[in-house]
Amino acid sequence: MSNPDLAARKRLTKRTSALQRQETLIGYAFILPALIVFLVFVAFPFFASIGLSFTKWNFLGGWKKLKWVGLQNFANLARDRRFGQAFANTFIYSIATVPTSILLALVLAYILNNKVYCRKLLRMAFFIPYISSAVALAAVFKFMFRDDGVINSILLALGIKNPPQWFVSLQLNKIPIIVMVIWTAVGYELVIYMSALQSVPASLYEAADIDRATGMQKFFYITLPMVSPTTFYLVIVRMIAVFKIFSSVNIMTMGSPSYANTSMVVEIYGNAFGSYKFGYAAAQSMVLFVLILVITLLNFWGQKKWVHY
């Protein structure tokens, strides 16, 4: 190869490398704002919480009050009955709401996916609670379930002389929260399921009709397996959402006895911004993080047995 050709190839290689570096810098410039937001509002708080969980710190005292206590916060959590109650309540909320809302949404989506009068209007009506303010919905449900609220008025009209005190009864005070969570979740799950149902091949139902399959058989042997990936997605998303439940519980638990229906996030918030025990609250948040991580991993492990891709 002659010297002019070699020099031209070197110039071309340098020019290509310069263009690649320029494109790389432009790409980093585009992702830089999102990266800064992620580092400031996600990564830094996460790692700061890990560090704070091993300390005792009152925010009002400044950094001078920061004291390293090792695993003492986690040892105290094992003896904290109030956090244990919040832990149990959160499990009850997840077990009561996630399967119920998913099943109800699937049935409604299956019905609305057929030729139903005012289908779009009904779909919008179910979806509105999901996009509504959680604080406003909690206030509405609290009004409905109070002693002189709508629910007790209906019970009185039906002949029940002593309707329950929903927020005072230790056996019933979780019901208003459970009903509200189900009501708000169904709309989102309904829309997701309707999208999944529309992607099920019509040929499967046609073949089932030829074999004279009943509606229930088509639902259980065609619809359920075909939408199982969507069900798996909703189980993961709703489990995480319920374990992070805050606004509805925080508003509806005011006046409840012995924190009988509080949640883990409400308890964490109370310790952090009520008692200013930031180290202890950080330890509680780490327990919540590990709990959500374990449940998510278990769901991913178990989905191999029932999810059909």
Side-chain angles (χ1 to χ4, degrees):
M1 183 179 293
S2 62
N3 288 335
D5 291 339
L6 182 61
R9 289 195 61 179
K10 288 183 178 179
R11 288 194 298 269
L12 180 61
T13 302
K14 289 181 179 179
R15 189 179 303 169
T16 303
S17 300
L19 288 174
Q20 289 177 346
R21 287 194 297 268
Q22 184 179 3
E23 290 178 355
T24 302
L25 290 175
I26 293 173
Y28 281 124
F30 274 110
I31 68 171
L32 185 61
L35 181 61
I36 292 174
V37 171
F38 173 79
L39 292 174
V40 173
F41 295 103
V42 179
F44 174 74
F46 174 74
F47 289 106
S49 296
I50 295 176
L52 283 176
S53 65
F54 299 100
T55 65
K56 182 179 181 181
W57 184 41
N58 187 325
F59 176 76
L60 297 178
W63 292 108
K64 295 181 180 180
K65 295 294 184 179
L66 187 65
K67 180 182 178 182
W68 180 267
V69 295
L71 297 175
Q72 182 180 339
N73 287 330
F74 295 96
N76 293 337
L77 277 177
R79 301 186 295 268
D80 191 342
R81 293 184 178 179
R82 189 159 143 180
F83 185 71
Q85 180 69 51
F87 184 90
N89 292 342
T90 306
F91 260 106
I92 293 173
Y93 293 144
S94 63
I95 294 171
T97 61
V98 174
T100 306
S101 64
I102 288 177
L103 179 60
L104 184 60
L106 178 57
V107 173
L108 290 172
Y110 187 75
I111 295 172
L112 292 178
N113 195 51
N114 298 315
K115 294 182 179 179
V116 178
Y117 185 70
C118 295
R119 181 174 64 175
K120 293 183 178 180
L121 181 62
L122 290 172
R123 184 171 56 186
M124 182 182 67
F126 281 114
F127 188 69
I128 285 176
Y130 177 75
I131 60 176
S132 300
S133 170
V135 176
L137 286 175
V140 170
F141 271 81
K142 188 173 183 178
F143 172 79
M144 290 174 59
F145 280 92
R146 69 183 189 180
D147 294 347
D148 57 345
V150 176
I151 302 299
N152 280 357
S153 298
I154 295 174
L155 294 177
L156 286 171
L158 293 175
I160 300 176
K161 296 181 179 180
N162 296 312
Q165 295 179 311
W166 299 99
F167 295 105
V168 176
S169 173
L170 293 175
Q171 291 76 29
L172 302 175
N173 57 14
K174 297 180 183 64
I175 291 179
I177 298 173
I178 291 172
V179 173
M180 177 187 166
V181 172
I182 293 173
W183 176 248
T184 54
V186 163
Y188 171 75
E189 296 163 358
L190 171 68
V191 172
I192 300 297
Y193 267 130
M194 289 193 70
S195 177
L197 288 172
Q198 291 171 6
S199 64
V200 178
S203 58
L204 296 177
Y205 293 108
E206 292 171 358
D209 289 333
I210 294 174
D211 293 335
R212 297 183 179 180
T214 64
M216 293 294 291
Q217 288 174 328
K218 287 189 287 185
F219 179 79
F220 283 102
Y221 292 103
I222 297 177
T223 305
L224 280 182
M226 293 301 295
V227 301
S228 58
T230 303
T231 303
F232 172 65
Y233 162 77
L234 290 174
V235 168
I236 296 292
V237 171
R238 290 309 307 164
M239 287 290 288
I240 294 174
V242 173
F243 272 92
K244 297 191 303 178
I245 188 172
F246 173 75
S247 299
S248 56
V249 176
N250 190 41
I251 293 173
M252 297 177 72
T253 54
M254 295 178 182
S256 297
S258 304
Y259 299 89
N261 52 4
T262 189
S263 67
M264 295 177 69
V265 176
V266 172
E267 184 66 16
I268 293 170
Y269 176 83
N271 280 302
F273 301 102
S275 304
Y276 299 105
K277 299 177 182 178
F278 278 82
Y280 192 62
Q284 292 177 323
S285 66
M286 288 299 103
V287 173
L288 178 60
F289 167 74
V290 172
L291 180 63
I292 292 176
L293 178 63
V294 170
I295 291 175
T296 303
L297 293 176
L298 287 175
N299 279 316
F300 271 96
W301 173 78
Q303 57 96 17
K304 300 177 182 178
K305 300 180 180 180
W306 63 275
V307 178
H308 304 277
Y309 291 102

